[in-house]
Amino acid sequence: MNDLSTARLSRIPATIITGFLGAGKTTLIRHLLEHSAGRRLALIINEFGDIGVDRDILRGCDDLGCAEDAIVELANGCICCTVADDFLPAIERLLALDPPPEHIVIETSGLALPKPLVKAFDWPQIRARLTVDGVIAVVDGAAAADGRFADDPIKLARQREADPSIGHDNPLEEVFEDQLLCADLVILNKIDLLGADDEARVRADIRAVLPRAVRIVGAAQGRIDSAILLGLNAAAEDDLLNRRSHHDDEADHDHDDFESLIVETPAIDDATSFVGRLAKIAEAHDVLRVKGFVEVRGKPMRLLVQGVGARFKHSFDRPWALGEARQGRLVVIGEKGLNAAAILQALER
């Protein structure tokens, strides 16, 4: 074995899990932790919005596949924009663990572009210690089938007839495609919500975006064998030229096309009616994502609320801790121009 091969084998593999808001990344990671087969894992969790919902969902994984000090949370931003400031210190903290992790899993925010993160693995101080085992793009099959990530071609054509200056600038589609363009594996999640025809159509749409042969694996609720997710040996940092992006010609980028707000909610009496009201608000204001925790009067457990568009689910995830403030908080994410005042007013009613 030559020196280069030996160096590659000595590096810790890292898996980047990307996917649009609400695709099911955290659920997939939870399943991975539950079936880690004793592998010593570490997590970096990145969220758009400062509540830290995903870390809370994964809290307690110390009895699964990673210890508490092996979870690093990067909130209120996108890791693709803060590589030097946030990602490098997070990596250094994990590599300082004794013993070090056997595999690092990085969950990007739903609005992050994976390619800038992969580029960071080519930096000398990271390249010597880590390699990108693979970039996994998680796709919300139901949202893709509903056309969430693509313009209606008929509607766009009519708009252009009325105003020829209208271009094609769909920030949702760009983020969605950039995540696919960087992928070594695509997980088509929530196939339990799709009929056979819709699943076939979404698979075809995904393949039309992918620049090379990439495996697409169907899943329901993120249930995927860890052997499929880990051990891809892609060394993605050596393959940057084959991972084109809509933002390749930009010196840097931002997420000004999207906005978020934090909503503090009082205790509620009925979970079903509250979530139903949230769904109506999300539909009326074209909200992309809602997630957070709420107190239900008379219940000892905390209510976890998650919404993708107007599609919501809720469950009691854990008891409120002794001395924990039972303050309900939700993060609401939408495109630029999100009417925060109207959303808050609707919630107050």
Side-chain angles (χ1 to χ4, degrees), residues 269-290:
D269 292 312
D270 180 69
T272 301
S273 62
F274 176 74
V275 172
R277 188 151 54 96
L278 280 178
K280 291 179 180 178
I281 293 170
E283 185 173 18
H285 296 281
D286 198 22
V287 170
L288 298 174
R289 181 75 164 129
V290 176

Side-chain angles (χ1 to χ4, degrees), residues 147-160:
R148 168 61 83 176
F149 308 114
D151 288 316
D152 181 335
I154 296 176
K155 181 179 178 181
L156 185 61
R158 288 173 178 167
Q159 289 175 335
R160 283 176 173 161

Side-chain angles (χ1 to χ4, degrees), residues 132-152:
V132 181
D133 182 64
V135 178
I136 298 173
V138 184
V139 174
D140 182 334
D146 290 341
R148 168 61 83 176
F149 308 114
D151 288 316
D152 181 335

Side-chain angles (χ1 to χ4, degrees), residues 270-341:
D270 180 69
T272 301
S273 62
F274 176 74
V275 172
R277 188 151 54 96
L278 280 178
K280 291 179 180 178
I281 293 170
E283 185 173 18
H285 296 281
D286 198 22
V287 170
L288 298 174
R289 181 75 164 129
V290 176
K291 59 181 178 178
F293 306 102
V294 180
E295 179 190 5
V296 181
R297 290 187 184 92
K299 301 291 185 181
M301 299 187 73
R302 187 180 65 173
L303 185 72
L304 168 64
V305 177
Q306 299 195 72
V308 180
R311 180 163 31 95
F312 275 75
K313 63 180 181 178
H314 62 283
S315 62
F316 291 101
D317 72 321
R318 68 164 175 82
W320 292 98
L322 185 65
E324 179 181 10
R326 298 192 176 193
Q327 177 61 61
R329 300 184 78 206
L330 301 172
V331 60
V332 181
I333 305 173
E335 291 189 73
K336 185 177 181 179
L338 188 69
N339 193 335

Side-chain angles (χ1 to χ4, degrees), residues 180-212:
L180 290 176
L181 290 169
C182 199
D184 298 293
L185 173 68
V186 175
I187 303 300
L188 179 56
N189 200 22
K190 308 183 187 181
I191 58 171
D192 51 316
L193 303 180
L194 297 176
D197 290 345
D198 281 340
E199 181 180 345
R201 176 169 54 84
V202 171
R203 284 179 177 267
D205 290 344
I206 291 172
R207 292 201 182 280
V209 175
L210 296 171
R212 58 193 186 283

Side-chain angles (χ1 to χ4, degrees), residues 245-263:
S245 161
H246 288 289
H247 301 82
D248 281 345
D249 297 327
E250 298 178 5
D252 52 22
H253 69 279
D254 53 43
H255 297 284
D256 289 345
D257 292 316
F258 302 95
E259 297 180 6
S260 68
L261 68 143
I262 305 300
V263 180

